[in-house]
């Protein structure tokens, strides 16, 4: 069975409200969907959510790379030859991880449909009974973030993640306000998205010592591993690396320096499920628990992350929140309170609404 065509849709997804992090503001989310189809008419869906601050790609550049460089590589290929296809993509072009993820995820969806199995059966089985999903609060005034957190907990969520990183003093107030608004047994996670320097990070972490922060994520610039290592080694708190790890070489450097306690794996940084499994394996050998993160992705990449999360025991948490933030999504998925449901349907288990995809599409390409 071989691949006969690839369709590429560059879409923009409406958000319920603007999403603000330390390095940017998003009024909608740019995404690229890929549909990979075999000679027998079976299809798999993938997704790229590029971020020029993280993956080094723009929405426009990722669309062009998929259209002209990656999609032509897989036409006439067997979708199960995932290692070969990744090697071909690496040899064709360096980097561009979200573009490669769009191909990788579609191949896993297709492999699951061909074999009649959910993706997690193909990559390790079910290591966790269910997936608890946090709610993520973007950067706002402290009182607004506290009000959001209170509402989230009242709706049944047991994990709250807040975005900070604009100003250390104000970030301290944000953390204190949110923690004061939620019960002590609700987990609180703090993500600076590279927004602090070493001194600022240590200052914030020390001043919020008594506010029960589960971990602080990517406090400094992605390439500043020495500062990350110092923060991790002198701080009482757990430190998670995110933007600082894209691939296995990055993770090995973090492990050698003992620069972080935890790892945030994102399919858009790693290039898809297949390389993400390598990261999980290295992290497991290093005793480093993992989270599967999100670039605020549609149901397609969200469910790819869910299957990965279920399949590896070293993955202890996730932030698969994209569909909760959208005013519209390209496929229905189900959250029961703070639990993301993953069923037994083959592949990713998503039924993509193709008319809606076409309605949201700004650019389209067919590769045969």
């Amino acid at each position: 069975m071989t691949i006969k065509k690839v369709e590429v849709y560059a879409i923009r997804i409406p958000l319920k409200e603007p999403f603000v992090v330390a390095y940017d503001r998003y009024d909608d989310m740019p995404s690229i969907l890929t549909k990979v189809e075999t000679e027998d008419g079976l299809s798999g869906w993938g997704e790229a959510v590029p971020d020029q601050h993280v993956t080094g790609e723009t929405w426009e550049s990722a669309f062009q790379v998929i259209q002209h460089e990656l999609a032509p590589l897989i036409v006439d290929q067997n979708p199960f030859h995932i290692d070969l296809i990744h090697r071909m993509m690496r040899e064709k072009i360096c980097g561009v991880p979200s573009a490669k993820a769009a191909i990788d995820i579609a191949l896993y969806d297709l492999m699951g449909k061909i074999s009649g199995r959910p993706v997690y059966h193909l990559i390790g089985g079910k290591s966790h009974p269910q997936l608890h999903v946090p709610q993520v609060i973007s950067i706002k005034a402290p009182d607004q973030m506290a009000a959001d957190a209170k509402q989230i907990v009242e709706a049944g969520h047991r994990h709250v993640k807040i975005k900070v990183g604009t100003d250390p003093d104000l970030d301290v107030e944000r953390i204190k306000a949110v923690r004061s608004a939620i019960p002590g047994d609700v987990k609180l996670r703090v993500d600076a998205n590279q927004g602090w320097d070493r001194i600022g990070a240590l200052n914030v972490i020390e001043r919020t010592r008594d506010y029960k922060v589960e971990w602080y994520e990517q406090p400094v610039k992605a390439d500043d591993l020495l500062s990350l290592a110092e923060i991790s080694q002198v701080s009482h708190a757990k430190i998670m690396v995110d933007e600082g790890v894209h691939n296995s070489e990055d993770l090995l450097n973090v492990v050698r320096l003992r620069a972080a306690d935890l790892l945030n794996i994102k399919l858009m940084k790693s290039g898809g499920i297949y390389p993400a499994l390598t990261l999980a394996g290295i992290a497991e050998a290093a005793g480093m628990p993992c989270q599967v993160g999100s670039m605020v992705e549609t149901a397609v990449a969200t469910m790819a992350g869910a299957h990965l999360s279920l399949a590896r025991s070293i993955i202890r948490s996730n932030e698969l929140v994209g569909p909760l933030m959208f005013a519209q999504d390209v496929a229905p998925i189900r959250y029961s309170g703070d639990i993301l449901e993953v069923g037994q349907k083959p592949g990713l288990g998503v039924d993509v609404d193709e008319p809606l995809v076409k309605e949201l599409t700004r650019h389209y390409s067919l590769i045969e």
Side-chain angles (χ1 to χ4, degrees):
M1 182 173 290
T2 58
I3 296 162
K4 287 305 176 186
K5 69 177 182 179
V6 182
E7 295 180 84
V8 190
Y9 302 87
I11 66 175
R12 300 193 78 93
I13 311 292
L15 290 162
K16 293 177 181 176
E17 63 175 48
F19 184 55
V20 183
V21 298
Y23 55 73
D24 216 334
R25 171 193 169 107
Y26 301 90
D27 294 301
D28 62 11
M29 286 306 297
S31 172
I32 299 162
L33 296 180
T34 54
K35 182 183 180 185
V36 175
E37 190 170 318
T38 69
E39 58 198 352
D40 296 329
L42 288 174
S43 60
W45 287 86
E47 181 176 13
V49 181
D51 186 322
Q52 61 207 59
H53 307 281
V54 179
T55 72
E57 306 156 284
T58 66
W59 181 58
E60 295 84 358
S61 73
F63 177 80
Q64 294 296 329
V65 166
I66 296 169
Q67 174 186 5
H68 295 297
E69 306 296 336
L70 301 182
L73 290 178
I74 67 170
V75 173
D76 294 327
Q77 292 293 327
N78 185 321
F80 285 89
H81 293 174
I82 190 74
D83 187 82
L84 171 65
I85 290 171
H86 270 280
R87 177 163 61 83
M88 292 168 60
M89 291 195 294
R90 288 195 304 271
E91 292 174 351
K92 185 67 173 178
I93 186 167
C94 180
V96 296
S98 77
K100 291 172 180 174
I103 299 295
D104 170 280
I105 294 167
L107 293 176
Y108 272 101
D109 188 29
L110 184 53
M111 286 189 280
K113 289 173 179 174
I114 293 169
S115 62
R117 298 286 185 179
V119 167
Y120 65 79
H121 279 188
L122 307 180
I123 58 175
K126 199 170 187 178
S127 292
H128 305 286
Q130 57 191 11
L131 298 177
H132 292 276
V133 179
Q135 274 276 23
V136 178
I137 301 172
S138 68
I139 295 174
K140 302 176 185 177
D143 59 339
Q144 292 177 297
M145 295 178 74
D148 286 352
K150 186 173 185 294
Q151 185 177 9
I152 285 167
V153 172
E154 289 173 350
H157 285 264
R158 289 162 279 185
H159 305 81
V160 175
K161 176 176 178 174
I162 63 172
K163 296 288 189 176
V164 295
T166 58
D167 173 78
D169 290 332
L170 188 55
D171 289 336
V172 169
E173 296 308 310
R174 289 174 171 127
I175 295 166
K176 290 181 177 180
V178 169
R179 171 45 78 191
S180 298
I182 60 178
D185 60 346
V186 173
K187 303 292 187 182
L188 174 60
R189 302 159 183 174
V190 172
D191 185 2
N193 284 117
Q194 311 178 69
W196 301 323
D197 59 18
R198 179 178 59 87
I199 297 300
L202 289 170
N203 184 4
V204 172
I205 293 169
E206 179 58 32
R207 289 168 64 190
T208 56
R209 171 187 286 267
D210 297 328
Y211 288 83
K212 296 179 68 176
V213 175
E214 192 174 13
W215 62 68
Y216 298 81
E217 184 175 340
Q218 198 62 52
V220 294
K221 294 295 184 184
D223 58 358
D224 192 2
L225 286 187
L226 291 179
S227 289
L228 190 69
E230 181 175 340
I231 293 165
S232 181
Q233 289 163 18
V234 305
S235 170
H236 71 279
K238 290 182 179 179
I239 304 299
M240 175 178 282
V241 61
D242 177 4
E243 291 95 333
V245 171
H246 288 229
N247 52 48
S248 56
E249 291 80 11
D250 293 339
L251 181 53
L252 288 172
N253 285 333
V254 168
V255 171
R256 290 188 189 104
L257 289 171
R258 299 182 180 178
D261 306 291
L262 307 158
L263 169 66
N264 192 355
I265 299 172
K266 288 179 178 172
L267 299 181
M268 300 303 135
K269 292 186 303 169
S270 66
I273 293 171
Y274 189 70
L277 290 167
T278 299
L279 292 178
I282 295 171
E284 188 166 26
M288 180 181 290
C290 300
Q291 170 175 280
V292 170
S294 168
M295 301 297 289
V296 189
E297 298 146 5
T298 76
V300 174
T302 294
M303 292 306 293
H307 284 270
L308 174 63
S309 297
L310 280 176
R312 296 302 300 264
S313 56
I314 195 64
I315 298 172
R316 310 284 174 77
S317 63
N318 71 83
E319 52 178 30
L320 301 171
V321 298
L324 296 171
M325 300 170 69
F326 294 136
Q328 284 181 296
D329 200 356
V330 300
I333 59 176
R334 181 175 173 81
Y335 294 86
S336 295
D338 65 349
I339 296 173
L340 173 57
E341 296 187 359
V342 182
Q344 295 286 331
K345 293 178 67 174
L348 296 175
V350 295
D351 296 315
V352 174
D353 184 342
E354 293 195 51
L356 177 59
V357 169
K358 292 174 181 177
E359 180 183 324
L360 297 171
T361 293
R362 307 289 181 86
H363 308 288
Y364 170 78
S365 181
L366 170 64
I367 299 93
E368 294 181 296

